[in-house]
Amino acid sequence: MLDKFGIAKRIAQELKDGYYVNLGIGIPTLVANYIPKNIYVTLQSENGLLGMGPFPFEGDEDADIINAGKQTVTTLPGSSFFDSAMSFGMIRAGKVDLTVLGAMEVAENGDIANWKIPGKMVKGMGGAMDLVAAAKNIIVAMQHTNKAGESKLLPACTLPITGLRCVKKIVTELAVIEVLPNGGGFKLLERAPGVSVEHIRKATAGKLTVPDDVPEMLIH
Amino acid sequence: MLDKFGIAKRIAQELKDGYYVNLGIGIPTLVANYIPKNIYVTLQSENGLLGMGPFPFEGDEDADIINAGKQTVTTLPGSSFFDSAMSFGMIRAGKVDLTVLGAMEVAENGDIANWKIPGKMVKGMGGAMDLVAAAKNIIVAMQHTNKAGESKLLPACTLPITGLRCVKKIVTELAVIEVLPNGGGFKLLERAPGVSVEHIRKATAGKLTVPDDVPEMLIH
Amino acid sequence: MSNKVYQTADDALFDIRDGAVIMLGGFGLCGIPENAISALLKKGTKNLTCISNNAGVDDFGIGLLLKTRQVKKMISSYVGENDEFERQLLSGELEVELIPQGTLATRCLASGYGLPAVFLPAGVGTEVADGKETRVFGDKTYLLEYAFDADYALVKAWKGDKYGNLIFRGTARNFNPMMAMAGKITIAEVEHLVEPGELDPNEIHTPGIYVHRIFQGNGYEKRIEQRTVRPRT
Amino acid sequence: MSNKVYQTADDALFDIRDGAVIMLGGFGLCGIPENAISALLKKGTKNLTCISNNAGVDDFGIGLLLKTRQVKKMISSYVGENDEFERQLLSGELEVELIPQGTLATRCLASGYGLPAVFLPAGVGTEVADGKETRVFGDKTYLLEYAFDADYALVKAWKGDKYGNLIFRGTARNFNPMMAMAGKITIAEVEHLVEPGELDPNEIHTPGIYVHRIFQGNGYEKRIEQRTVRPRT
């Protein structure tokens, strides 16, 4: 079983040299800490920054340089600033190679729900709907089950949808799961260290294809 | 009767302090030379320059600073450069106060033809169709009749149209003419010095309303 | 030149009336028109419809206008950080229209570029799509989203000149350039108001043609919402 | 980082094949990708569809590719200054699609911003509207114009860094930024190729995410089409 850092580490293995990547708030943000040393990845922050650097040193915070989570960040050599129209323009045009997001629920057809719980205060979708509707490759980072122990990988979302048929892969504390195209359902790709296929099966409410051999993740 | 400089001078009287103005090629370009001294007018060149200055001094030409007529020009304090999408964006959004264009024909409903003569080599419309479709105030600067002596102010255009119902005013060597809204036809506003109402009537093929008193233009 | 320069925020906002539709630049508290918000607060203008990505926090930004009940409706993408906001929303005092962030930005761009409407994919299949026209291009479905029609845009820039040319700084740019283009009347406040010619024409983000009034702001607080740092080692 | 830098124009254009759809930046001869055009000439790539505001002059710019009969079709707004062009057009050897300049620019923008189509007023009621869908918004009629789908964009910038960030100079900016955004593969040539960090992130016109290949051009002629001067007095 992985902790949130393990999930972030596993997702970092999906990164390729030259990728432009948008990381959502929460576990996705942690992915930045585990980018393999031998590749160069450019982080896009949808409020208008390409080439997001680490948090500033204490005292160097600049109110004019923040990320989409409103945290103070820094630039790197080769960074660029732009306006929100261009930012979502490049997302819609498929220029961002990978988007990593959290989710409340993912359906076996790739639908995602991550913005609203009926009855609770609605804070808004921010850029989530734009990202899921437009990104060409979306990986979801989340827990396999919710606090009540119910699966978050479902036959269909029960919460209000953020976007349709968009999630390509899910990394949880238990497994790496592919969302097969054309409604093919979930497919188990890797088990977390020490987690059995049976455990993952039980925690997955949606249709799950399990190949004969499911390797254990390699987390460096 | 006015020469082309007189036409330009008369049109310059239409400018108001603070106006943003797009001047087409030919007589319209000359208008820049007669902007009243007591007002400030900003010239827009649709290839991406606001605040177009005069031609450079010999030896100061910069291949990267040209106008829509591909002539070398200069900037002024407060100029700005932008791309072609923004340039036509500001035109479409009605931010340019006045556009001055040449024309081959203007119809009494405000249609304009100025880009194509069938049977002759077609060079293209450039930005003319965008300007006439989007500018909020269009003045045409042209000769009242063509080389064959035929009126260019017509009941309807005979040449391929550049844009519909868009011309608000016409200044020719003979007259200042308003295009009345809602198909009301032409209205004679001013006579050129020494030109009779009868002369203008004969030279105008489209419907022309002539008020009782038609003043002579004042060209300073 | 017809003068675009106003001495104070109060002067520049003189004609904003109750019921106006106002765009306000900024993302979170970054790049917000602090002086213009203070002037609205002082003026007490009521029943405002505010188009702004966020609604400030309880004691800063648009949150200040919520506290004084000057806002009738918010059109935003994310409004989370504000208790008073939540109270008014739940009590029905405040109307809220939530729209995706990119849709918000692009509807502003559409206004500034004279595009009456645009086709956007965000929200297809969600409740955001309710009542909206859809259209398929290629194998993808889009919603028809209309350009905004705002009476005023209140934007904040880093530098500006007396003709209204603006340069933004860092991620404080965000929605400001699009809103500057989109307002029927655009009022820009700047940290540094300079003479024409002091800004490089090649570096201007918003050409002055889009800006109707400009003033030098003062006392910028530039509050940081999430101060995150790493230790010096 | 996966390397975007190519040593020569020939290297950068290595995979452009006969029949490709290519966007070329520039307005007249201002801001055209001189080195890329030379490389195409050398390569002899045929049956090109060129999307470019103009078609160069007889002995410069795209005119050079016309002379060698490498161009099958031009999509442009104004093609006047070229005798060979006229000859090929009248003889039917060359296909030409004339579209309004703002429509050309905005269809590029649409590609770069992921908008499948846009509503534009230019050409309503004219032969440009033939066969196009129209729609009325408010009291105005618009044409539905589609985003371009180009295999390559060849653009020219003043400065660029190794990550592909670009800064244009003066009116040489023109169509270059939109085409840079619109190409499936965008190849930028620059007068000055610098290290990442040498360009101010606040002054970049085209972020590197849009640029796939970059090279330092050389021997720029930057020919002036209409040299107009005033006498020194």
Side-chain angles (χ1 to χ4, degrees), chain D residues 137-162:
Chain D
F137 293 92
D139 58 356
K140 214 171 155 69
T141 305
Y142 296 81
L143 303 179
L144 185 69
E145 300 275 8
Y146 289 84
F148 282 119
D149 190 19
D151 300 316
Y152 295 88
L154 308 180
V155 303
K156 191 258 172 179
W158 179 38
K159 294 180 183 172
D161 71 20
K162 295 182 172 177

PDB file of all heavy atoms in Angstrom, chain D residues 137-162:
ATOM      1  N   PHE D 137     -26.114  37.272 -34.686  1.00  0.00           N
ATOM      2  CA  PHE D 137     -26.040  37.558 -33.243  1.00  0.00           C
ATOM      3  C   PHE D 137     -26.389  39.031 -33.104  1.00  0.00           C
ATOM      4  O   PHE D 137     -25.770  39.873 -33.752  1.00  0.00           O
ATOM      5  CB  PHE D 137     -24.638  37.309 -32.694  1.00  0.00           C
ATOM      6  CG  PHE D 137     -24.218  35.864 -32.697  1.00  0.00           C
ATOM      7  CD1 PHE D 137     -23.536  35.329 -33.774  1.00  0.00           C
ATOM      8  CD2 PHE D 137     -24.508  35.034 -31.611  1.00  0.00           C
ATOM      9  CE1 PHE D 137     -23.141  34.002 -33.780  1.00  0.00           C
ATOM     10  CE2 PHE D 137     -24.122  33.707 -31.612  1.00  0.00           C
ATOM     11  CZ  PHE D 137     -23.437  33.190 -32.696  1.00  0.00           C
ATOM     12  N   GLY D 138     -27.344  39.345 -32.242  1.00  0.00           N
ATOM     13  CA  GLY D 138     -27.785  40.740 -32.123  1.00  0.00           C
ATOM     14  C   GLY D 138     -28.336  41.167 -33.474  1.00  0.00           C
ATOM     15  O   GLY D 138     -29.162  40.469 -34.055  1.00  0.00           O
ATOM     16  N   ASP D 139     -27.842  42.274 -34.013  1.00  0.00           N
ATOM     17  CA  ASP D 139     -28.337  42.725 -35.315  1.00  0.00           C
ATOM     18  C   ASP D 139     -27.279  42.543 -36.402  1.00  0.00           C
ATOM     19  O   ASP D 139     -27.339  43.182 -37.435  1.00  0.00           O
ATOM     20  CB  ASP D 139     -28.780  44.191 -35.235  1.00  0.00           C
ATOM     21  CG  ASP D 139     -27.642  45.082 -34.775  1.00  0.00           C
ATOM     22  OD1 ASP D 139     -26.548  44.550 -34.454  1.00  0.00           O
ATOM     23  OD2 ASP D 139     -27.836  46.304 -34.727  1.00  0.00           O
ATOM     24  N   LYS D 140     -26.353  41.650 -36.144  1.00  0.00           N
ATOM     25  CA  LYS D 140     -25.224  41.522 -37.059  1.00  0.00           C
ATOM     26  C   LYS D 140     -25.078  40.079 -37.542  1.00  0.00           C
ATOM     27  O   LYS D 140     -25.290  39.141 -36.780  1.00  0.00           O
ATOM     28  CB  LYS D 140     -23.947  41.928 -36.302  1.00  0.00           C
ATOM     29  CG  LYS D 140     -22.908  42.616 -37.168  1.00  0.00           C
ATOM     30  CD  LYS D 140     -21.782  43.182 -36.326  1.00  0.00           C
ATOM     31  CE  LYS D 140     -20.540  43.290 -37.158  1.00  0.00           C
ATOM     32  NZ  LYS D 140     -20.603  44.321 -38.204  1.00  0.00           N
ATOM     33  N   THR D 141     -24.738  39.919 -38.790  1.00  0.00           N
ATOM     34  CA  THR D 141     -24.561  38.588 -39.374  1.00  0.00           C
ATOM     35  C   THR D 141     -23.071  38.221 -39.382  1.00  0.00           C
ATOM     36  O   THR D 141     -22.228  39.066 -39.643  1.00  0.00           O
ATOM     37  CB  THR D 141     -25.104  38.561 -40.812  1.00  0.00           C
ATOM     38  OG1 THR D 141     -26.464  39.002 -40.786  1.00  0.00           O
ATOM     39  CG2 THR D 141     -25.044  37.159 -41.395  1.00  0.00           C
ATOM     40  N   TYR D 142     -22.813  36.957 -39.090  1.00  0.00           N
ATOM     41  CA  TYR D 142     -21.438  36.459 -39.051  1.00  0.00           C
ATOM     42  C   TYR D 142     -21.314  35.206 -39.908  1.00  0.00           C
ATOM     43  O   TYR D 142     -22.285  34.473 -40.097  1.00  0.00           O
ATOM     44  CB  TYR D 142     -21.039  36.114 -37.611  1.00  0.00           C
ATOM     45  CG  TYR D 142     -21.018  37.304 -36.675  1.00  0.00           C
ATOM     46  CD1 TYR D 142     -22.192  37.794 -36.112  1.00  0.00           C
ATOM     47  CD2 TYR D 142     -19.823  37.939 -36.368  1.00  0.00           C
ATOM     48  CE1 TYR D 142     -22.181  38.894 -35.260  1.00  0.00           C
ATOM     49  CE2 TYR D 142     -19.794  39.033 -35.521  1.00  0.00           C
ATOM     50  CZ  TYR D 142     -20.980  39.507 -34.969  1.00  0.00           C
ATOM     51  OH  TYR D 142     -20.948  40.592 -34.137  1.00  0.00           O
ATOM     52  N   LEU D 143     -20.094  34.969 -40.366  1.00  0.00           N
ATOM     53  CA  LEU D 143     -19.794  33.711 -41.054  1.00  0.00           C
ATOM     54  C   LEU D 143     -19.115  32.762 -40.073  1.00  0.00           C
ATOM     55  O   LEU D 143     -18.312  33.184 -39.247  1.00  0.00           O
ATOM     56  CB  LEU D 143     -18.832  33.949 -42.221  1.00  0.00           C
ATOM     57  CG  LEU D 143     -19.265  34.944 -43.294  1.00  0.00           C
ATOM     58  CD1 LEU D 143     -18.159  35.047 -44.363  1.00  0.00           C
ATOM     59  CD2 LEU D 143     -20.580  34.517 -43.931  1.00  0.00           C
ATOM     60  N   LEU D 144     -19.442  31.490 -40.196  1.00  0.00           N
ATOM     61  CA  LEU D 144     -18.726  30.487 -39.408  1.00  0.00           C
ATOM     62  C   LEU D 144     -17.447  30.129 -40.156  1.00  0.00           C
ATOM     63  O   LEU D 144     -17.489  29.636 -41.291  1.00  0.00           O
ATOM     64  CB  LEU D 144     -19.596  29.240 -39.208  1.00  0.00           C
ATOM     65  CG  LEU D 144     -18.982  28.175 -38.299  1.00  0.00           C
ATOM     66  CD1 LEU D 144     -18.916  28.664 -36.857  1.00  0.00           C
ATOM     67  CD2 LEU D 144     -19.790  26.881 -38.363  1.00  0.00           C
ATOM     68  N   GLU D 145     -16.322  30.409 -39.523  1.00  0.00           N
ATOM     69  CA  GLU D 145     -15.021  30.170 -40.158  1.00  0.00           C
ATOM     70  C   GLU D 145     -14.248  29.159 -39.319  1.00  0.00           C
ATOM     71  O   GLU D 145     -14.166  29.286 -38.103  1.00  0.00           O
ATOM     72  CB  GLU D 145     -14.223  31.476 -40.239  1.00  0.00           C
ATOM     73  CG  GLU D 145     -14.903  32.580 -41.044  1.00  0.00           C
ATOM     74  CD  GLU D 145     -14.619  32.468 -42.543  1.00  0.00           C
ATOM     75  OE1 GLU D 145     -14.017  31.460 -42.970  1.00  0.00           O
ATOM     76  OE2 GLU D 145     -15.007  33.403 -43.279  1.00  0.00           O
ATOM     77  N   TYR D 146     -13.659  28.190 -39.968  1.00  0.00           N
ATOM     78  CA  TYR D 146     -13.019  27.086 -39.257  1.00  0.00           C
ATOM     79  C   TYR D 146     -11.553  27.349 -38.936  1.00  0.00           C
ATOM     80  O   TYR D 146     -10.858  28.053 -39.677  1.00  0.00           O
ATOM     81  CB  TYR D 146     -13.149  25.797 -40.079  1.00  0.00           C
ATOM     82  CG  TYR D 146     -14.571  25.294 -40.085  1.00  0.00           C
ATOM     83  CD1 TYR D 146     -15.510  25.788 -40.990  1.00  0.00           C
ATOM     84  CD2 TYR D 146     -14.994  24.377 -39.128  1.00  0.00           C
ATOM     85  CE1 TYR D 146     -16.832  25.360 -40.973  1.00  0.00           C
ATOM     86  CE2 TYR D 146     -16.309  23.941 -39.103  1.00  0.00           C
ATOM     87  CZ  TYR D 146     -17.220  24.436 -40.026  1.00  0.00           C
ATOM     88  OH  TYR D 146     -18.521  24.014 -39.980  1.00  0.00           O
ATOM     89  N   ALA D 147     -11.113  26.783 -37.837  1.00  0.00           N
ATOM     90  CA  ALA D 147      -9.693  26.823 -37.483  1.00  0.00           C
ATOM     91  C   ALA D 147      -8.895  26.136 -38.585  1.00  0.00           C
ATOM     92  O   ALA D 147      -9.379  25.204 -39.229  1.00  0.00           O
ATOM     93  CB  ALA D 147      -9.471  26.119 -36.145  1.00  0.00           C
ATOM     94  N   PHE D 148      -7.682  26.617 -38.804  1.00  0.00           N
ATOM     95  CA  PHE D 148      -6.803  25.977 -39.785  1.00  0.00           C
ATOM     96  C   PHE D 148      -6.240  24.678 -39.220  1.00  0.00           C
ATOM     97  O   PHE D 148      -6.118  24.501 -38.013  1.00  0.00           O
ATOM     98  CB  PHE D 148      -5.620  26.890 -40.124  1.00  0.00           C
ATOM     99  CG  PHE D 148      -5.950  27.994 -41.069  1.00  0.00           C
ATOM    100  CD1 PHE D 148      -5.795  29.319 -40.691  1.00  0.00           C
ATOM    101  CD2 PHE D 148      -6.398  27.730 -42.353  1.00  0.00           C
ATOM    102  CE1 PHE D 148      -6.074  30.356 -41.571  1.00  0.00           C
ATOM    103  CE2 PHE D 148      -6.681  28.763 -43.239  1.00  0.00           C
ATOM    104  CZ  PHE D 148      -6.517  30.077 -42.838  1.00  0.00           C
ATOM    105  N   ASP D 149      -5.862  23.817 -40.142  1.00  0.00           N
ATOM    106  CA  ASP D 149      -5.259  22.551 -39.763  1.00  0.00           C
ATOM    107  C   ASP D 149      -3.981  22.410 -40.583  1.00  0.00           C
ATOM    108  O   ASP D 149      -4.000  21.890 -41.692  1.00  0.00           O
ATOM    109  CB  ASP D 149      -6.260  21.424 -40.080  1.00  0.00           C
ATOM    110  CG  ASP D 149      -5.824  20.107 -39.504  1.00  0.00           C
ATOM    111  OD1 ASP D 149      -4.988  20.101 -38.592  1.00  0.00           O
ATOM    112  OD2 ASP D 149      -6.322  19.075 -39.989  1.00  0.00           O
ATOM    113  N   ALA D 150      -2.892  22.959 -40.049  1.00  0.00           N
ATOM    114  CA  ALA D 150      -1.641  22.986 -40.823  1.00  0.00           C
ATOM    115  C   ALA D 150      -0.635  22.006 -40.251  1.00  0.00           C
ATOM    116  O   ALA D 150      -0.528  21.844 -39.042  1.00  0.00           O
ATOM    117  CB  ALA D 150      -1.057  24.395 -40.815  1.00  0.00           C
ATOM    118  N   ASP D 151       0.111  21.362 -41.143  1.00  0.00           N
ATOM    119  CA  ASP D 151       1.122  20.399 -40.704  1.00  0.00           C
ATOM    120  C   ASP D 151       2.293  21.114 -40.031  1.00  0.00           C
ATOM    121  O   ASP D 151       2.812  20.657 -39.024  1.00  0.00           O
ATOM    122  CB  ASP D 151       1.637  19.595 -41.905  1.00  0.00           C
ATOM    123  CG  ASP D 151       0.525  18.830 -42.597  1.00  0.00           C
ATOM    124  OD1 ASP D 151      -0.288  18.218 -41.873  1.00  0.00           O
ATOM    125  OD2 ASP D 151       0.453  18.856 -43.833  1.00  0.00           O
ATOM    126  N   TYR D 152       2.700  22.218 -40.623  1.00  0.00           N
ATOM    127  CA  TYR D 152       3.865  22.951 -40.112  1.00  0.00           C
ATOM    128  C   TYR D 152       3.561  24.437 -40.060  1.00  0.00           C
ATOM    129  O   TYR D 152       2.811  24.956 -40.887  1.00  0.00           O
ATOM    130  CB  TYR D 152       5.079  22.763 -41.032  1.00  0.00           C
ATOM    131  CG  TYR D 152       5.582  21.346 -41.089  1.00  0.00           C
ATOM    132  CD1 TYR D 152       5.056  20.449 -42.013  1.00  0.00           C
ATOM    133  CD2 TYR D 152       6.569  20.906 -40.227  1.00  0.00           C
ATOM    134  CE1 TYR D 152       5.507  19.140 -42.074  1.00  0.00           C
ATOM    135  CE2 TYR D 152       7.030  19.597 -40.271  1.00  0.00           C
ATOM    136  CZ  TYR D 152       6.491  18.715 -41.198  1.00  0.00           C
ATOM    137  OH  TYR D 152       6.935  17.429 -41.243  1.00  0.00           O
ATOM    138  N   ALA D 153       4.167  25.093 -39.087  1.00  0.00           N
ATOM    139  CA  ALA D 153       4.195  26.550 -39.103  1.00  0.00           C
ATOM    140  C   ALA D 153       5.661  26.961 -39.127  1.00  0.00           C
ATOM    141  O   ALA D 153       6.462  26.486 -38.312  1.00  0.00           O
ATOM    142  CB  ALA D 153       3.503  27.116 -37.873  1.00  0.00           C
ATOM    143  N   LEU D 154       6.002  27.796 -40.088  1.00  0.00           N
ATOM    144  CA  LEU D 154       7.363  28.320 -40.189  1.00  0.00           C
ATOM    145  C   LEU D 154       7.302  29.786 -39.795  1.00  0.00           C
ATOM    146  O   LEU D 154       6.701  30.601 -40.493  1.00  0.00           O
ATOM    147  CB  LEU D 154       7.890  28.178 -41.625  1.00  0.00           C
ATOM    148  CG  LEU D 154       7.786  26.774 -42.234  1.00  0.00           C
ATOM    149  CD1 LEU D 154       8.339  26.769 -43.665  1.00  0.00           C
ATOM    150  CD2 LEU D 154       8.538  25.756 -41.364  1.00  0.00           C
ATOM    151  N   VAL D 155       7.890  30.109 -38.654  1.00  0.00           N
ATOM    152  CA  VAL D 155       7.786  31.479 -38.165  1.00  0.00           C
ATOM    153  C   VAL D 155       9.177  32.051 -37.953  1.00  0.00           C
ATOM    154  O   VAL D 155      10.169  31.327 -37.856  1.00  0.00           O
ATOM    155  CB  VAL D 155       6.968  31.557 -36.861  1.00  0.00           C
ATOM    156  CG1 VAL D 155       5.578  30.955 -37.068  1.00  0.00           C
ATOM    157  CG2 VAL D 155       7.691  30.875 -35.703  1.00  0.00           C
ATOM    158  N   LYS D 156       9.208  33.375 -37.867  1.00  0.00           N
ATOM    159  CA  LYS D 156      10.473  34.064 -37.686  1.00  0.00           C
ATOM    160  C   LYS D 156      10.342  35.041 -36.517  1.00  0.00           C
ATOM    161  O   LYS D 156       9.399  35.832 -36.476  1.00  0.00           O
ATOM    162  CB  LYS D 156      10.835  34.808 -38.975  1.00  0.00           C
ATOM    163  CG  LYS D 156      12.252  35.335 -38.982  1.00  0.00           C
ATOM    164  CD  LYS D 156      12.255  36.805 -38.681  1.00  0.00           C
ATOM    165  CE  LYS D 156      13.650  37.319 -38.490  1.00  0.00           C
ATOM    166  NZ  LYS D 156      13.626  38.769 -38.226  1.00  0.00           N
ATOM    167  N   ALA D 157      11.273  34.929 -35.585  1.00  0.00           N
ATOM    168  CA  ALA D 157      11.254  35.825 -34.429  1.00  0.00           C
ATOM    169  C   ALA D 157      12.571  36.572 -34.331  1.00  0.00           C
ATOM    170  O   ALA D 157      13.556  36.245 -35.009  1.00  0.00           O
ATOM    171  CB  ALA D 157      10.987  35.039 -33.148  1.00  0.00           C
ATOM    172  N   TRP D 158      12.565  37.562 -33.475  1.00  0.00           N
ATOM    173  CA  TRP D 158      13.775  38.366 -33.272  1.00  0.00           C
ATOM    174  C   TRP D 158      14.732  37.610 -32.353  1.00  0.00           C
ATOM    175  O   TRP D 158      15.869  37.329 -32.686  1.00  0.00           O
ATOM    176  CB  TRP D 158      13.332  39.701 -32.668  1.00  0.00           C
ATOM    177  CG  TRP D 158      14.404  40.674 -32.348  1.00  0.00           C
ATOM    178  CD1 TRP D 158      15.532  40.929 -33.076  1.00  0.00           C
ATOM    179  CD2 TRP D 158      14.430  41.556 -31.217  1.00  0.00           C
ATOM    180  NE1 TRP D 158      16.257  41.928 -32.467  1.00  0.00           N
ATOM    181  CE2 TRP D 158      15.616  42.334 -31.334  1.00  0.00           C
ATOM    182  CE3 TRP D 158      13.578  41.777 -30.135  1.00  0.00           C
ATOM    183  CZ2 TRP D 158      15.948  43.295 -30.379  1.00  0.00           C
ATOM    184  CZ3 TRP D 158      13.905  42.742 -29.206  1.00  0.00           C
ATOM    185  CH2 TRP D 158      15.086  43.486 -29.326  1.00  0.00           C
ATOM    186  N   LYS D 159      14.202  37.257 -31.174  1.00  0.00           N
ATOM    187  CA  LYS D 159      14.988  36.501 -30.204  1.00  0.00           C
ATOM    188  C   LYS D 159      14.237  35.236 -29.814  1.00  0.00           C
ATOM    189  O   LYS D 159      13.007  35.218 -29.791  1.00  0.00           O
ATOM    190  CB  LYS D 159      15.208  37.330 -28.940  1.00  0.00           C
ATOM    191  CG  LYS D 159      16.058  38.567 -29.143  1.00  0.00           C
ATOM    192  CD  LYS D 159      16.184  39.298 -27.804  1.00  0.00           C
ATOM    193  CE  LYS D 159      16.965  40.594 -27.949  1.00  0.00           C
ATOM    194  NZ  LYS D 159      16.924  41.377 -26.692  1.00  0.00           N
ATOM    195  N   GLY D 160      14.979  34.226 -29.484  1.00  0.00           N
ATOM    196  CA  GLY D 160      14.364  33.014 -28.988  1.00  0.00           C
ATOM    197  C   GLY D 160      15.346  32.300 -28.092  1.00  0.00           C
ATOM    198  O   GLY D 160      16.560  32.463 -28.233  1.00  0.00           O
ATOM    199  N   ASP D 161      14.824  31.510 -27.138  1.00  0.00           N
ATOM    200  CA  ASP D 161      15.743  30.722 -26.328  1.00  0.00           C
ATOM    201  C   ASP D 161      15.597  29.246 -26.653  1.00  0.00           C
ATOM    202  O   ASP D 161      14.748  28.852 -27.470  1.00  0.00           O
ATOM    203  CB  ASP D 161      15.583  31.018 -24.834  1.00  0.00           C
ATOM    204  CG  ASP D 161      14.287  30.472 -24.246  1.00  0.00           C
ATOM    205  OD1 ASP D 161      13.677  29.551 -24.836  1.00  0.00           O
ATOM    206  OD2 ASP D 161      13.878  30.960 -23.177  1.00  0.00           O
ATOM    207  N   LYS D 162      16.428  28.433 -26.047  1.00  0.00           N
ATOM    208  CA  LYS D 162      16.510  27.027 -26.425  1.00  0.00           C
ATOM    209  C   LYS D 162      15.276  26.213 -26.045  1.00  0.00           C
ATOM    210  O   LYS D 162      15.117  25.081 -26.487  1.00  0.00           O
ATOM    211  CB  LYS D 162      17.782  26.419 -25.837  1.00  0.00           C
ATOM    212  CG  LYS D 162      19.016  27.060 -26.459  1.00  0.00           C
ATOM    213  CD  LYS D 162      20.318  26.482 -25.981  1.00  0.00           C
ATOM    214  CE  LYS D 162      21.459  27.083 -26.823  1.00  0.00           C
ATOM    215  NZ  LYS D 162      22.777  26.612 -26.379  1.00  0.00           N
TER     216      LYS D 162
END
